[in-house]
Amino acid sequence: MSEKKHIEEAKDISLGYFITGGLVLAIAVLLGLLTRISQTGMLGNVPKLYYSLMTLHGMAAFVGWGCFTSIGLTWYVLVKTLDSPLHSPKLVKFIYWLFATGFVLLVVSVLFGNFGGSWVFLYPIAFYGYWDTWAATVWTLGVILAGVGIILYGLEILLTIRKAGYGFWAALGFESFKKDFDEMENRVPLPAVPFAVIGLGMIVATIPFAILLIYQFLELIGLINTRMDALLAKNMLWWFGHPVVYLILFPVVGFFYYVTEVYAGMKLIGERYAKLAWALATIVQNFIGAHHVYNDMAQAPWIHVWSQLGTYAIIIPSLISIFSITATIFISDFHWGVASQYMFTSLAFWLLAGMSGWVNATISLNIHIHNTLWVVAHFHVMALLALSTMIFGMGYHLITDYTEGDFNKNLASKALWTYVIGALGFTHFWFIQGLWGGIRRSYASTPENLTLLTYLSIPFMIIAVIGIWINVYVAFSAAFGKSKAAPAATASAS
Amino acid sequence: MSFLKQVKMFLIAFGGVGVILLLRFLFTGSTKISPGSQNAIAANLDESTFTIVRLFLIGLEFLWLSFWAIFYIRLSMKATQPASEDTKKKIEAFEPKYFQLVAALLVLLLILSFAIPYIGGDEVEQFHNHTNDQPFDKQVNILAHQFYFEFDVNNNGTYVQSFSKDNPEVVLKTNVMYLFSMKTTDTTHGFGLYSPDGVLLGQNQIVPGYDNYYYFQFEKPGIYKVLCMEYCGAGHQVMVSYIQVV
Ligand code: HEM
Ligand SMILES: [Cu+2]
Ligand SMILES: [Cu+2]
């Protein structure tokens, strides 16, 4: 098999990102476990420790891990599916170092400077904390670097797709409107579409947030002396804060498409409807962040209503994709391996997470669960059972390709069970606490009469953490292990 | 140096330093604090309509999950051989119908969602006022600070904190439409109102620089709890007050 040079390069790059993300996740989930343990009082009366750990856990797990893995694996999938080189591998490596530097700054800000504004550090809390001003400054700078990296990621995707010879609108799914769609010769490969959509989405989403960050930075170093309007700042935060979730979700759907096609040995069915759904997502994705602001009565009511409508509409791409993937698996000669096992688990839990999300998205229900542990349960099901399973699945696919199948598959498949048992277990204690009014981001375990659940959740968290560590171990030993030289040698020989 | 090598060096360096930093942080990085007042946070479960809703949600979720588990096992057994051409055709023909089904379902949920406030009763509906131009009987001013609330019950500038759970200083009446007008003096806080049996009746964000309005009419007497619902700093967990309703 002759592997092209640009594919080899993309493999290396994606693997580098992916294992960095693995390490970040391994640390982050340990911090999450410590966060929960600190709530039990075992470490003493340590509210600041709890809030700082929570902050670093949230940012590392979500943005750190997301940036390195979903962005990292994007490069490989894009190059393979388009069968065309990256627009600029140099830029892609530069983005890596931007994230790496940003991440180091975040760690320093929390572990040295005790920053603890939560991962959203809702403006103006940076100025009212128990941390030093320098810590908030370093934190802001770290997030700015990540933000720049994310904007460049979006640009690089769009440029790579253009380099492969596809049109901008076609890549966003709008070619599904063409009458002769079924006869068209040169259609954009479906797995590339979610990447184009998120590429554009992140550019649009990140710019206002970057302005907010720069404003906050200038205020922290004393160059600006006027507070920004807090409601405007909140809207700028969530204008970015919701789409940044899609920075993980949409690439993951791209991985789904790609892996399904590989293991099913056929093109996905329902391409036209899927593209239609993505065209819809292109339009809607940037206008629904205000669903995080449902409880701000200072906000104009029409924004509430609009963001609920938009949020309902964005469910469509998920439901359509699930149909295409499931139906394709069903009718094909599907090959079950480590990657596809992880993928299927992800698919099942995607729906579970989506269901609890419906409650959050609905204004009239939101006032009962906003900022409760219900929400925390919802996004941990999403993050652990739906997203990180698929990201590991995709990673295992890449590793299979990189090591030509020579890695510890047995251990990898066993680790999958720790996900299901651990994550499903501990999130359910949160679901219950949240429905009974227990609030999130509170050092006190609430409601008080359900404190027992806090203790009960810890063993499950430990199981989940162990599962993640096993996965990271398998990935590391495959990437840096003994078989490392072999594939490169085969490639140069052929 | 190849990219992967560079990554490896970075990870070794970062991982090593990171572990040292973390240990240092855990042992020395955090000083203990005990903000203003340490009120117990209590919520008692009671047979309320909400309990039914909650149980329904959890039950629904488990059913959903079992459905997928069964489906998964069936599919993985089936999927080792390809389906017949006939099945393929049928599934492809089903796609447009599925699309319509999804759209119909979403529209249905949407209608349901906007109907919920009317099904849920007055207590829920009252939270959806964004301005202070609705009729009300009495105005109560609330100031939120790090890390306590202050209440001006008579709208005359005299504020009380009402920390005591057994004997709250703030006493309000049933069947009076209150307008809570809320301000913060520092960062964003939240106003969460819990019924005597621990149900989170609703909440509102207290955004700096704005008057944040909240209408409420108490239906039952008892001790209601007010809890800060937005993370505001190291003493967030102690921002609790009580309201006695007679
Ligand atoms: C074994 C795995 C994990 C454990 C034990 C864990 C634990 C925790 C705990 C205890 C909290 C604080 C909740 C609260 O009291 O409000 C939390 C918050 C959070 N977690 Fe996790 N988590 C895990 C995995 C993840 C993953 C994989 C992600 C994301 C991809 C994630 C993202 C977050 C975020 C964004 C927050 C919110 C932080 C904030 O409010 O500032 N977690 N987690
Ligand atoms: Cu959102
Ligand atoms: Cu608070």
Side-chain angles (χ1 to χ4, degrees):
Chain A
M1 215 174 75
S2 86
E3 287 270 75
K4 295 173 195 143
K5 193 171 160 285
H6 64 257
I7 295 185
E8 279 303 320
E9 184 167 30
K11 253 191 228 174
D12 271 15
I13 292 177
S14 284
L15 203 60
Y17 269 82
F18 174 67
I19 48 178
T20 309
L23 185 74
V24 169
L25 186 66
I27 299 171
V29 294
L30 180 67
L31 295 172
L33 177 64
L34 289 169
T35 308
R36 190 65 157 165
I37 290 176
S38 74
Q39 265 184 316
T40 64
M42 278 184 235
L43 307 175
N45 181 24
V46 285
K48 289 182 190 172
L49 185 76
Y50 164 83
Y51 291 118
S52 289
L53 283 173
M54 174 194 86
T55 301
L56 189 58
H57 161 71
M59 197 50 125
F62 184 56
V63 182
W65 165 77
C67 282
F68 283 116
T69 55
S70 78
I71 287 184
L73 293 168
T74 296
W75 311 124
Y76 170 78
V77 174
L78 214 52
V79 164
K80 287 285 267 193
T81 192
L82 295 170
D83 195 18
S84 156
L86 290 168
H87 156 259
S88 161
K90 264 217 187 85
L91 180 61
V92 171
K93 288 176 193 164
F94 176 69
I95 296 173
Y96 175 93
W97 292 112
L98 267 180
F99 288 145
T101 318
F103 192 68
V104 169
L105 290 181
L106 297 177
V107 170
V108 166
S109 149
V110 174
L111 296 188
F112 256 121
N114 285 338
F115 184 74
S118 93
W119 85 274
V120 296
F121 53 103
L122 185 61
Y123 185 91
I125 200 171
F127 306 94
Y128 290 100
Y130 53 87
W131 47 85
D132 298 334
T133 303
W134 76 258
T137 313
V138 169
W139 175 272
T140 312
L141 201 62
V143 183
I144 290 175
L145 291 187
V148 174
I150 290 172
I151 294 175
L152 293 176
Y153 164 73
L155 271 177
E156 173 67 20
I157 291 178
L158 296 178
L159 291 172
T160 299
I161 292 177
R162 199 180 72 171
K163 189 170 180 176
Y166 298 106
F168 178 70
W169 294 105
L172 295 170
F174 286 92
E175 57 179 3
S176 54
F177 291 106
K178 292 237 170 83
K179 279 224 172 54
D180 57 344
F181 180 82
D182 289 318
E183 285 82 52
M184 278 166 58
E185 283 287 298
N186 193 21
R187 294 200 299 253
V188 180
L190 183 57
V193 174
F195 298 108
V197 175
I198 195 60
L200 179 66
M202 284 328 295
I203 296 171
V204 177
T206 312
I207 290 171
F209 182 54
I211 294 170
L212 169 64
L213 287 172
I214 291 168
Y215 191 96
Q216 175 169 313
F217 179 75
L218 294 177
E219 233 184 312
L220 281 163
I221 60 172
L223 284 180
I224 292 182
N225 294 312
T226 9
R227 250 322 105 77
M228 188 190 272
D229 180 308
L231 190 61
L232 175 67
K234 200 171 188 178
N235 278 298
M236 286 162 107
L237 163 73
W238 288 113
W239 172 268
F240 165 83
H242 187 78
V244 78
V245 176
Y246 295 152
L247 175 64
I248 305 180
L249 258 92
F250 289 1
V252 163
V253 179
F255 304 157
F256 263 130
Y257 288 164
Y258 176 76
V259 171
T260 307
E261 288 191 350
V262 171
Y263 288 91
M266 62 181 278
K267 289 247 166 282
L268 279 176
I269 66 167
E271 180 187 339
R272 186 167 195 176
Y273 283 95
K275 285 188 173 169
L276 201 66
W278 284 111
L280 178 71
T282 304
I283 300 167
V284 180
Q285 62 174 340
N286 285 113
F287 294 100
I288 58 183
H291 64 204
H292 294 263
V293 194
Y294 280 157
N295 288 293
D296 290 56
M297 294 303 138
Q299 178 100 306
W302 68 266
I303 305 180
H304 284 38
V305 175
W306 162 256
S307 48
Q308 179 176 332
L309 292 175
T311 308
Y312 275 52
I314 206 85
I315 300 173
I316 293 176
S318 279
L319 290 177
I320 297 296
S321 301
I322 282 172
F323 179 85
S324 289
I325 295 163
T326 317
T328 307
I329 294 175
F330 192 73
I331 63 177
S332 71
D333 181 3
F334 199 73
H335 173 77
W336 290 99
V338 177
S340 44
Q341 275 171 2
Y342 270 80
M343 182 185 98
F344 205 95
T345 311
S346 163
L347 195 61
F349 286 107
W350 194 289
L351 283 161
L352 173 59
M355 250 189 40
S356 50
W358 173 69
V359 176
N360 312 347
T362 303
I363 298 172
S364 48
L365 297 175
N366 184 279
I367 59 171
H368 299 293
I369 52 84
H370 180 68
N371 277 351
T372 69
L373 289 167
W374 166 273
V375 178
V376 181
H378 155 74
F379 69 73
H380 280 83
V381 169
M382 195 72 201
L384 275 165
L385 287 166
L387 300 178
S388 78
T389 42
M390 183 57 207
I391 284 181
F392 274 113
M394 186 61 223
Y396 283 132
H397 178 76
L398 170 63
I399 287 171
T400 309
D401 191 1
Y402 182 78
T403 62
E404 297 181 340
D406 180 20
F407 70 101
N408 198 338
K409 293 189 204 82
N410 196 3
L411 197 56
S413 342
K414 285 212 181 94
L416 184 56
W417 286 102
T418 62
Y419 266 90
V420 177
I421 298 167
L424 208 55
F426 82 73
T427 51
H428 274 74
F429 295 110
W430 272 335
F431 273 127
I432 295 169
Q433 278 180 298
L435 283 183
W436 265 269
I439 61 175
R440 74 183 285 199
R441 293 186 187 134
S442 174
Y443 173 62
S445 213
T446 60
E448 201 183 45
N449 51 2
L450 295 183
T451 300
L452 179 64
L453 299 188
T454 303
Y455 286 85
L456 290 180
S457 67
I458 290 172
F460 290 96
M461 287 187 168
I462 293 173
I463 295 174
V465 169
I466 291 173
I468 286 165
W469 285 19
I470 295 175
N471 275 308
V472 172
Y473 166 77
V474 172
F476 261 71
S477 45
F480 296 134
K482 55 176 175 15
S483 52
K484 189 192 135 204
T490 355
S492 52
S494 55
Chain B
M1 200 170 11
S2 82
F3 180 66
L4 265 181
K5 275 230 178 71
Q6 290 170 2
V7 169
K8 188 175 177 177
M9 307 248 301
F10 168 67
L11 291 185
I12 292 171
F14 172 69
V17 177
V19 169
I20 295 169
L21 270 182
L22 180 61
L23 288 175
R24 179 192 163 273
F25 175 72
L26 284 178
F27 287 111
T28 64
S30 168
T31 43
K32 296 178 182 181
I33 57 145
S34 39
S37 70
Q38 293 277 357
N39 290 292
I41 298 166
N44 300 309
L45 302 187
D46 194 45
E47 59 283 87
S48 66
T49 45
F50 283 95
T51 306
I52 300 166
V53 177
R54 293 153 166 168
L55 292 177
F56 172 73
L57 281 172
I58 292 185
L60 199 68
E61 196 214 284
F62 269 115
L63 276 180
W64 189 257
L65 204 66
S66 340
F67 166 76
W68 274 98
I70 294 165
F71 184 70
Y72 173 43
I73 294 163
R74 291 215 39 196
L75 196 66
S76 35
M77 287 182 336
K78 165 93 188 47
T80 39
Q81 71 262 31
S84 66
E85 279 306 309
D86 207 34
T87 328
K88 278 187 197 173
K89 288 235 169 64
K90 265 193 208 137
I91 287 183
E92 274 180 33
F94 180 64
E95 172 116 47
K97 280 196 205 116
Y98 175 81
F99 201 92
Q100 287 156 10
L101 215 72
V102 164
L105 181 79
L106 286 176
V107 172
L108 210 76
L109 281 179
L110 204 59
I111 293 169
L112 178 70
S113 82
F114 285 110
I116 289 170
Y118 301 96
I119 304 167
D122 293 344
E123 283 199 340
V124 178
E125 205 182 325
Q126 285 155 13
F127 287 94
H128 292 269
N129 286 303
H130 294 251
T131 52
N132 63 345
D133 56 7
Q134 304 292 313
F136 59 89
D137 302 320
K138 276 197 85 180
Q139 177 167 346
V140 174
N141 301 315
I142 299 177
L143 278 182
H145 315 272
Q146 281 174 321
F147 299 101
Y148 59 97
F149 291 104
E150 286 190 304
F151 301 81
D152 169 18
V153 178
N154 297 316
N155 194 14
N156 64 1
T158 327
Y159 283 90
V160 291
Q161 298 185 349
S162 211
F163 284 149
S164 162
K165 181 180 195 290
D166 303 317
N167 213 347
E169 287 162 276
V170 173
V171 182
L172 301 178
K173 295 199 176 73
T174 52
N175 297 320
V176 172
M177 176 60 84
Y178 287 103
L179 165 66
F180 295 113
S181 173
M182 306 186 278
K183 280 197 174 84
T184 161
T185 55
D186 36 58
T187 187
T188 306
H189 296 278
F191 174 86
L193 186 63
Y194 286 75
S195 75
D197 45 28
V199 174
L200 175 55
L201 295 170
Q203 52 180 309
N204 193 352
Q205 294 269 313
I206 310 179
V207 182
Y210 285 83
D211 285 315
N212 303 272
Y213 299 113
Y214 190 80
Y215 283 78
F216 201 75
Q217 183 168 333
F218 295 94
E219 248 118 62
K220 285 189 296 191
I223 308 241
Y224 288 67
K225 186 175 71 174
V226 174
L227 199 61
C228 178
M229 294 287 289
E230 184 61 59
Y231 172 55
C232 56
H236 173 51
Q237 70 282 358
V238 297
M239 254 183 100
V240 193
S241 284
Y242 296 91
I243 296 177
Q244 170 137 37
V245 175
V246 293

